[in-house]
Amino acid sequence: MLRYILRRILLMIPTLLVTSALIFTVMELPPSDYFETYVAEMAAQGEKADTSRIEFLRREYGFDKPIIERYFLWITGFVQGDFGYSFEYEMPVRDVVGERLALTVLVSVCTILMTWIVAFPIGIYSATHQYSWGDYGLTFLGLLGIAIPHFLLALIFMYFANVWFGLSIGGLMDPVYFNQPMSWEKAQSILAHLWIPVIIIGAGGTGTMVRAIRANLLDELQKQYYVTAKAKGLPPGKALRKYPLRMSLNFFVSHIGDVLPSIVSGSELTAVVLSLQTTGPLLLRALQSQDMYLAGSFLLFLSCLTVVGVLISDIALAFLDPRIRLQGGSTK
């Protein structure tokens, strides 16, 4: 196991290097950079940009150097914890992300926990009561959650909250706490606003997980080892927990590679609609304004989380299912 983990970690290095090179190349593809876009926007507004400051920033962050040299400056700084400078916000990327990253992790973790808590009992019930009225009803609700986009569900929630109750449900806290240090009152405000985005974002994921658990568990319930276990007198509940349920969790464990980056990125469009103070809208704005260090560092961080998540899921699968081996080859 240790040898396998070391080999996978060594493989991560070239993978992330290639990924970082692709991200940097894509960020360099537009014919103009942030500074040229900024000057054009200021000119369109009838204002004059501070050209001396722009030239200083160009030299400070190597925009007057070849692209290869700029890439190595960026990637070496990233490894050392220097994620670069956000030109739009005029502060280091680490400070820009700041509280937004913590709020994104809070929303995403709560959403994932809600999805698991709701989806597992429903999926198990639907599989063990196949073609019952309960199965049909829960399947219909799950399909609704999958079919309705998150941002559309957010718009529906906002409309009815405003029409029926005269409330605005946008944001993760009351406006008075924006850009304020964390306090007990601010934490209470966040918790009071948290349940709405958790329900909206988790609706689609819950429906998808219910369908996956139901399908995988139904497949395991029809296999010979489960039929034999019941024929030998093992109680149905114990037989279900010990064998089919454990085997049907393979898809869930393999999904960890997607879960880790989603914890940080969040649901971007839903966050924009609900005006959530998370990192999703921050990434979209950075891509639109060509704030390359903010966008590039964010995308590379998500790539790191993806490869780490895949490694964790592979190791967990080997422990969960004895049929899975860490490497190929026949066994005797």
Side-chain angles (χ1 to χ4, degrees), residues 37-258:
T37 304
Y38 174 73
V39 171
E41 289 179 355
M42 295 295 288
Q45 297 172 7
E47 300 180 12
K48 187 177 180 181
D50 186 353
T51 55
S52 61
R53 175 173 174 76
I54 290 176
E55 289 302 321
F56 170 76
L57 289 174
R58 279 181 177 277
R59 294 191 302 271
E60 181 72 15
Y61 290 95
F63 279 81
D64 57 341
K65 298 177 181 177
I67 183 173
I68 299 297
E69 188 174 349
R70 291 207 309 273
Y71 165 73
F72 280 106
L73 287 174
W74 172 61
I75 196 64
T76 52
F78 186 92
V79 173
Q80 297 171 7
D82 180 10
F83 303 135
Y85 187 83
S86 172
F87 304 114
E88 181 171 5
Y89 295 93
E90 298 185 348
M91 62 176 64
V93 170
R94 185 167 19 185
D95 297 336
V96 173
V97 175
E99 186 181 82
R100 285 177 176 263
L101 181 59
L103 292 175
T104 304
V105 172
L106 176 63
V107 172
S108 299
V109 169
C110 291
T111 302
I112 293 170
L113 291 177
M114 187 273 289
T115 300
W116 293 347
I117 292 171
V118 174
F120 271 95
I122 293 177
I124 294 171
Y125 176 86
S126 295
T128 53
H129 297 76
Q130 189 181 17
Y131 304 135
S132 64
W133 284 108
D135 181 26
Y136 285 129
L138 294 171
T139 298
F140 176 73
L141 292 176
L143 291 175
L144 277 182
I146 297 172
I148 301 176
H150 294 164
F151 69 90
L152 179 59
L153 189 60
L155 290 173
I156 294 172
F157 266 68
M158 294 176 70
Y159 173 78
F160 285 108
N162 187 282
V163 171
W164 289 355
F165 305 103
L167 299 175
S168 175
I169 60 174
L172 271 177
M173 65 190 76
D174 295 324
V176 68
Y177 297 113
F178 290 171
N179 300 321
Q180 296 295 322
M182 184 57 66
S183 61
W184 175 243
E185 291 77 14
K186 183 175 181 177
Q188 287 180 312
S189 179
I190 292 173
L191 293 176
H193 289 77
L194 184 63
W195 63 275
I196 293 176
V198 166
I199 292 176
I200 292 173
I201 298 173
T206 301
T208 302
M209 184 165 286
V210 167
R211 300 298 299 159
I213 293 174
R214 181 183 183 276
N216 282 272
L217 191 53
L218 281 175
D219 182 59
E220 295 294 331
L221 291 176
Q222 297 172 5
K223 292 185 177 178
Q224 190 63 42
Y225 70 88
Y226 178 68
V227 177
T228 302
K230 290 199 303 180
K232 289 186 175 181
L234 195 65
K238 186 175 182 180
L240 176 69
R241 292 192 305 270
K242 187 167 184 174
Y243 300 110
L245 183 58
R246 179 182 176 186
M247 295 300 102
S248 66
L249 293 181
N250 286 0
F251 88 95
F252 167 72
V253 174
S254 63
H255 187 57
I256 294 176
D258 298 326

Side-chain angles (χ1 to χ4, degrees), residues 7-17 304 307-309 311:
R7 186 169 67 250
R8 287 292 299 271
I9 291 175
L10 291 176
L11 287 174
M12 285 181 187
I13 297 175
T15 301
L16 291 174
L17 283 176
C304 295
V307 296
V308 171
L311 174 61

